[in-house]
């Protein structure tokens, strides 16, 4: 019985979307995207602004309801589930615009994620500060993203770069099966970005996970990505190994314009 | 021990700590420190409104939910006790049954309201609570054969809790010790316990999630918290505590009526207490309720005296006339919101 279950799990990709579509009025923002993502793979999602990259993310993590299609996590349909439920099943999402708990401390932001993950029940009558294990885990995550020194700071007082790091920290704290990064280094200074990119490279080494990365910077894609998919007008325009996709003339001229030219 | 009682949530300001200790000592010793019917009445009202304001702060300050039905839940508890003793007779069992029934009814009603309206936008919840609260207030005044209508209900509580009960022939610490004082300590200790329980709840893992939802419900959902479930639980809890406060009030007053428990005026009072004291701080409810109830009870006297004292001057005695106390309370409120937007507690914690 057990081996059978394992077998069915093994035969499925970690995450797949099938004809995933969403329409806003007459506008088709994501158009029948069928794509599978395997464990241990980092897929860069590229395309011009408005191509539907973030919307595609929103459909997978549940912030937007799909008009048609399917999303399966380890073979299980998750499209009908709430955002919170999908998160519990292992869909983790970091946001393009910083989206934190601004009046709480850095540590508390991470601790809340850890609590969501490791604390069962509502916990009405125990003291939050007595759950030392949760705090220890949160501190370990902050250590990893080099934010440990700022643990006590209120988030709204952090620099933009540090807020971006915290955004990544929340995702790492969640420890999901599917990591979705939406331009993780946007607006970061040249010396701050490597910290985040190194972290993503570290995560990549973990073969149980799959990483989806929306990114514009070609040098980042070149160093990190195992695979590139190109979205254009909501539809899948290209899918393949980085060198292959970047070399294809169609992609170069029609879809990426100048963005793909060497920086 | 103190840290445990306060759930690790210290006042974090020397002045605030001092104020809280003064309030605690005054309330604990009220029958002996301020003998007299009126001051005991004021002390009991302060105790009860601290709990009521704190339970409202659990919603407004910690969860960011605006409700206008808080007096309805307060009233449910009070009417629970009134109906319990009216129908089950004069006993502690009847009081307990009424209290429990009131709290359960409040939690159940809050659950229904929450289920229907907390899924959608926050403003919708506020409107629903307003509608339900008005409907219940009308219902209570109309169903006079059950609720006593506008006249309310008077009932008899166990003799041990009434002024007629005199356990000692001689005076104790200079005052005549009656059942009313036992009743006061019932009020004081139940309110103290309820406040500490709420302080624990807001510092629990659950309380932390409420604050996260208040800050950013979108992200709270995205990290795996079922936001509706947390909001509904907070609403039920807050309603149940408000009902318990109402039950205590009913035991203290030996009377319930629409004006004392259900009126919209009380709703506004609670709102002012929480805002003046400082939202999302629990201790704010203590400060806010104390200031407010004291002002309500003594501002009139103070102003009367001031008016007397200045009777030779033009205009000023008019302004200070005791009938103008509400106007001054309004001025006090506007000034406090203007100068302490984070409330007294927020101001004290920020320092300087």
């Amino acid at each position: 019985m057990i081996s059978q279950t394992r077998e069915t799990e093994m035969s499925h990709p970690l995450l797949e979307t099938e004809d995933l579509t969403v329409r806003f009025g007459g506008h088709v923002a994501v158009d029948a995207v069928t794509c599978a993502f395997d464990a241990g793979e980092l897929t860069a999602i590229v395309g011009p602004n408005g191509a539907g990259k973030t919307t595609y993310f929103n459909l997978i993590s549940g912030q937007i309801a799909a008009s048609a299609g399917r999303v399966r996590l380890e073979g299980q349909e998750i499209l009908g589930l709430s955002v919170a439920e999908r998160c519990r099943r292992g869909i983790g999402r970091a946001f393009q615009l910083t989206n934190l708990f601004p009046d709480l401390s850095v540590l508390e932001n991470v601790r809340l994620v850890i609590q969501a993950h490791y604390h069962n029940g509502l916990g009405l009558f125990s003291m939050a500060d007595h759950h030392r294990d949760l705090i220890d885990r949160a501190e370990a995550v902050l250590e990893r993203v080099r934010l440990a020194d700022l643990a006590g700071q209120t988030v709204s007082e952090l620099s933009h770069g540090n807020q971006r790091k915290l955004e990544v920290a929340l995702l790492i704290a969640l420890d999901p099966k599917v990591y979705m990064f939406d331009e993780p280094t946007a607006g970061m200074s040249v010396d701050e970005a490597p910290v985040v990119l190194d972290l993503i490279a570290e995560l990549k080494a973990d073969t149980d996970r799959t990483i989806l990365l929306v990114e514009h910077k070609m040098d980042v894609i070149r160093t990190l990505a195992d695979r590139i998919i190109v979205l254009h007008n909501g539809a899948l325009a290209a899918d393949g190994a980085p060198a292959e996709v970047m070399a294809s003339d169609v992609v170069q001229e029609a879809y990426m314009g100048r963005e793909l030219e060497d920086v | 021990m103190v840290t445990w009682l306060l759930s690790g949530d210290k006042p974090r300001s020397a002045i605030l700590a001092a104020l809280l200790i003064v309030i605690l000592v005054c309330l604990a010793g009220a029958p002996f420190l301020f003998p007299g019917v009126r001051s005991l009445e004021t002390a009991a009202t302060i105790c009860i409104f601290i709990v009521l304001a704190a339970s409202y702060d659990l919603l407004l300050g910690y969860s960011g939910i605006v409700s206008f039905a808080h007096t309805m839940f307060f009233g449910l508890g009070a009417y629970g006790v009134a109906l319990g003793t009216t129908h089950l007779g004069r006993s502690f069992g009847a009081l307990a049954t009424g209290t429990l029934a009131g709290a359960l009814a409040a939690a159940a009603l809050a659950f229904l309201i929450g289920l229907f309206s907390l899924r959608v936008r926050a403003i919708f919840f506020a409107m629903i609570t307003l509608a339900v609260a008005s409907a219940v207030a009308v219902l209570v005044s109309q169903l006079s054969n059950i609720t006593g209508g506008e006249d309310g209900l008077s009932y008899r509580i166990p003799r041990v809790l009434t002024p007629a009960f005199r356990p000692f022939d001689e005076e104790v610490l200079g005052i005549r010790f009656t059942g009313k004082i036992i009743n006061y300590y019932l009020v004081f200790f139940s309110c103290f316990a309820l406040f500490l329980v709420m302080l624990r709840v807001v510092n629990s893992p659950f309380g932390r999630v409420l604050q996260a939802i208040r800050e950013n419900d979108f992200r709270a959902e995205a990290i795996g918290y079922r936001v509706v479930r947390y909001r509904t639980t907070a609403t039920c809890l807050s309603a149940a505590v408000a009902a318990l406060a109402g039950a205590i009030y009913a035991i203290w007053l030996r009377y319930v009526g629409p004006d004392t428990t259900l009126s919209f005026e009380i709703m506004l009072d609670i709102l002012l207490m929480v805002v003046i004291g400082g939202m999302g701080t629990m201790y704010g409810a203590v400060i806010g309720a104390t200031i407010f109830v004291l002002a309500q009870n003594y501002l009139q006297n103070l102003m009367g005296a001031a008016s007397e004292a200045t009777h030779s001057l033009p205009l000023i005695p008019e302004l200070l006339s005791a009938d103008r106390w509400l106007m001054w309370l309004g001025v006090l409120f506007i000034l406090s919101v203007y100068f302490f937007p984070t409330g007294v507690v927020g101001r004290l914690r920020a320092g300087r």
Side-chain angles (χ1 to χ4, degrees), chain A residues 88 99-100 103 108 112 167, chain B residues 208 215-216 219 224-225:
Chain A
R88 284 167 179 272
N99 199 332
L100 304 160
D103 283 346
E108 180 64 8
L112 278 163
E167 182 72 46
Chain B
R208 295 291 181 82
E215 295 274 303
N216 187 346
R219 192 59 189 264
Y225 290 114

Side-chain angles (χ1 to χ4, degrees), chain A residues 18-240:
Chain A
E18 189 184 315
D19 292 327
L20 192 60
T21 304
V22 67
R23 292 179 210 95
F24 299 119
H27 173 64
V28 184
V30 171
D31 190 3
V33 175
T34 298
C35 201
F37 306 94
D38 286 319
E41 190 180 55
L42 190 148
T43 310
I45 302 175
V46 299
N49 287 329
K53 304 182 298 285
T54 299
T55 311
Y56 186 54
F57 268 18
N58 282 333
L59 289 171
I60 295 172
S61 56
Q63 272 86 14
I64 294 177
S67 311
R70 305 191 179 293
V71 178
R72 280 186 287 261
L73 180 68
E74 295 177 316
Q76 301 262 313
E77 177 68 62
I78 59 166
L79 210 51
L81 304 177
S82 68
V83 173
E85 189 55 39
R86 289 186 210 195
C87 175
R88 284 167 179 272
R89 300 263 182 115
I91 303 277
R93 169 89 189 268
F95 292 86
Q96 185 182 13
L97 300 172
T98 304
N99 199 332
L100 304 160
F101 303 105
D103 283 346
L104 306 180
S105 74
V106 171
L107 179 66
E108 180 64 8
N109 267 260
V110 180
R111 203 199 59 83
L112 278 163
V113 177
I114 302 275
Q115 182 185 311
H117 209 59
Y118 294 101
H119 186 79
N120 295 319
L122 289 174
L124 269 170
F125 299 113
S126 63
M127 273 188 242
D129 289 339
H130 282 193
H131 293 276
R132 195 62 230 178
D133 51 323
L134 303 182
I135 298 171
D136 288 343
R137 280 176 194 270
E139 279 169 348
V141 172
L142 287 180
E143 205 70 59
R144 267 183 89 180
V145 298
R146 326 269 192 283
L147 279 178
D149 296 343
L150 301 172
Q153 285 244 7
T154 304
V155 168
S156 55
E157 291 165 1
L158 289 186
S159 69
H160 176 79
N162 282 333
Q163 291 196 1
R164 296 301 302 166
K165 273 197 229 166
L166 184 57
E167 182 72 46
V168 172
L170 294 200
L171 189 50
I172 292 175
L174 211 52
D175 188 28
K177 294 171 182 152
V178 179
Y179 283 82
M180 298 198 283
F181 289 103
D182 200 344
E183 298 192 42
T185 60
M188 273 187 142
S189 67
V190 192
D191 45 315
E192 282 172 323
V195 176
V196 169
L197 296 176
D198 288 351
L199 277 168
I200 296 176
E202 245 176 71
L203 293 172
K204 221 183 104 172
D206 190 341
T207 49
D208 293 342
R209 315 287 183 232
T210 191
I211 303 175
L212 311 190
L213 172 69
V214 168
E215 187 55 81
H216 282 300
K217 295 172 189 153
M218 289 325 289
D219 52 333
V220 172
I221 294 173
R222 209 167 272 138
T223 42
L224 287 176
D226 302 311
R227 170 188 174 197
I228 296 182
I229 64 175
V230 182
L231 289 182
H232 182 64
N233 289 337
L236 192 64
D239 179 353

Side-chain angles (χ1 to χ4, degrees), chain A residues 1-10:
Chain A
M1 192 63 198
I2 290 168
S3 64
Q4 204 179 351
T5 335
R6 177 158 296 166
E7 203 169 294
T8 39
E9 264 175 27
M10 293 295 276

Side-chain angles (χ1 to χ4, degrees), chain B residues 184-266:
Chain B
Y184 175 78
Y185 278 109
L186 179 70
V187 171
F188 174 79
F189 284 111
S190 339
C191 289
F192 190 49
L194 281 173
F195 180 79
L196 291 179
V197 167
M198 275 186 289
L199 197 58
R200 170 60 58 91
V201 168
V202 298
N203 286 293
S204 70
F206 171 77
R208 295 291 181 82
V209 179
L210 289 185
Q211 292 167 56
I213 293 173
R214 176 195 68 195
E215 295 274 303
N216 187 346
D217 55 348
F218 174 84
R219 192 59 189 264
E221 181 88 30
I223 58 175
Y225 290 114
R226 298 171 179 104
V227 169
V228 176
R229 181 181 297 186
Y230 278 88
R231 281 194 174 137
T232 308
T233 310
T235 310
C236 292
L237 201 68
S238 158
V241 175
L244 292 177
I248 298 168
Y249 201 37
I251 295 171
W252 173 252
L253 284 182
R254 287 178 289 162
Y255 162 81
V256 294
D259 289 341
T260 50
T261 55
L262 286 170
S263 77
F264 199 70
E265 236 165 87
I266 300 178

